[in-house]
Amino acid sequence: MKKRWLMVGLLLGAALAACGGLAAVTPVVPLPGTSTAVAVNTQNVAKTSLPTAEPATCTVSSLQPTRTPDPYFPAPDPKTDWIQGPEGAKVTFLEYSDFQ
Amino acid sequence: MKDFPQDVRVVYRHFPLPGHDKSLLATQAAEAAGLQGKFWEMHDAIFAGQGTWTGMTLDQFETWLKDQAKTLALDEAKFTTDLKSDASVQKATQATENGKKLGIPGTPLILINSEVYQGPRDYENMASIVSLYKLQERQFKSCPPMTIDQKKQYTATLKTDVGDIVIQLFADKTPMAVNTFIFLANQGWYNNNLWYRVIPGSFAQSGDPSGSGNGGPGYAYSNEIAADSNFDKPGVVGMFNSGPNLNGSRFFIIYTPAPELNGKYTVFGQVIAGMDVLAKLTPRDASDPNAPSPLPAGSKIISVTITEK
């Protein structure tokens, strides 16, 4: 089967680059805008007496590639799609595919 | 998919490509089998037989499809009727139109949770994605409160399946890293964590419940680099990061001095007992091109206990 794999740029969010990073064992630094980083809780630790120790800060951030649903593609619909697995599954793989 | 029965759903949508002479008939065959409750069985048979039928004429292919229906114990007469019924033809041609309308450039196009995915499609990657999604449910929505007393001595005992590793934590020099490590240990975050990357003679890494090597606790904090703590001897414990301000829960223990890590990673502890245990951890490195596939199951942290004095 001839499997073409040319994606139009429009379809590709920067998050995809981070996705590809899943292959690597060395974690990939998330690209800007790929994580749902929300600085809702920042704390500072008092500087220690050591001159080179910088005050550490903490920020809420998933640091994992997150995906936002793309309304461009219709959501799974049991009336028209072939579906395996529970409706409440955490991960849905949707495939547009050709047998040939 | 069978490894994640509760967590994974697979949705199949036809996109019979216009340039493929047998793609419409194949689609119709799967739909016809679907009318008898065996869509996925026919789906699998058609894909498995690709090498056999690709070179066939349409007529030969139709015969081949009917043979598959027979093998799948379908009602052959009904299958033959449904294969070329108006409804089947309509469904297949409509699928082509839908795909064209959406501008799908080729197949397969995979969406993960409704977003286009174009990463590798092997099992390790797919399983890694699922485990990371599962981990998101456990991630914390805020940074841990600062609860440690920097004047106290803290030790962590890592109970592993090959023995105990005792680590002295440097609360005075790296309060943020130690505080979060203690917080996570007390929350059970490290229980059953895989030593997902173990390179004998170099380092052993753990602290990601997803076991993928990409998971984190839901917050990130900065490096704490102290001038007098370096990766200068076996058993130094470093907090892994994905950048200077991107520390999480993953940590590593070095087997030999690693000066190249100085200044890049927070040194937050030192192994004071159990270096022999460290040597027993199962080697495992997904980045090694010669690594066995699938990777070995690996050693695990059973639990982490903190003592303070």
Side-chain angles (χ1 to χ4, degrees), chain B residues 180-254:
Chain B
T180 184
F181 186 85
I182 290 173
F183 169 78
L184 291 170
N186 290 337
Q187 294 283 331
W189 178 267
Y190 293 121
N191 295 356
N192 299 312
N193 276 201
L194 177 68
W195 289 94
Y196 58 84
R197 196 174 187 203
V198 177
I199 305 176
S202 187
F203 63 87
Q205 200 168 339
S206 187
D208 168 11
S210 83
S212 69
N214 287 289
Y219 55 85
Y221 52 95
S222 47
N223 282 354
E224 297 163 291
I225 307 296
D228 58 346
S229 309
N230 284 309
F231 292 94
D232 54 2
K233 52 186 168 296
V236 171
V237 186
M239 193 59 79
F240 192 75
N241 65 48
S242 310
N245 299 310
L246 299 173
N247 289 268
S249 58
R250 285 169 279 158
F251 65 94
F252 60 96
I253 305 173
I254 57 169

Side-chain angles (χ1 to χ4, degrees), chain B residues 111-159:
Chain B
L111 288 87
I112 299 180
N113 288 0
S114 299
E115 187 163 333
V116 176
Y117 171 76
Q118 68 160 12
R121 300 199 295 270
D122 58 277
Y123 178 80
E124 296 270 352
N125 275 282
M126 292 300 182
S128 166
I129 288 168
V130 175
S131 57
L132 280 171
Y133 267 106
K134 287 181 70 177
L135 183 62
Q136 281 180 4
E137 289 183 350
R138 288 186 57 193
Q139 288 191 324
F140 296 93
K141 304 287 182 281
S142 59
C143 291
M146 183 55 71
T147 56
I148 59 163
D149 179 345
Q150 284 185 246
K151 292 184 199 79
K152 286 187 174 170
Q153 290 289 323
Y154 294 89
T155 54
T157 303
L158 278 56
K159 190 177 177 217

Side-chain angles (χ1 to χ4, degrees), chain A residues 8-89:
Chain A
V8 283
L10 272 176
L11 297 178
L12 299 177
L16 294 173
C19 278
L22 289 169
V25 168
T26 308
V28 174
V29 180
L31 298 173
T34 57
S35 71
T36 49
V38 188
V40 294
N41 185 352
T42 301
Q43 48 179 235
N44 287 290
V45 172
K47 199 166 185 168
T48 67
S49 56
L50 290 153
T52 50
E54 293 296 316
T57 57
C58 178
T59 314
V60 174
S61 168
S62 161
L63 284 190
Q64 291 179 187
T66 53
R67 299 176 173 83
T68 41
D70 186 344
Y72 182 75
F73 294 97
D77 180 355
K79 289 194 202 84
T80 52
D81 295 322
W82 292 100
I83 301 177
Q84 278 183 315
E87 196 180 339

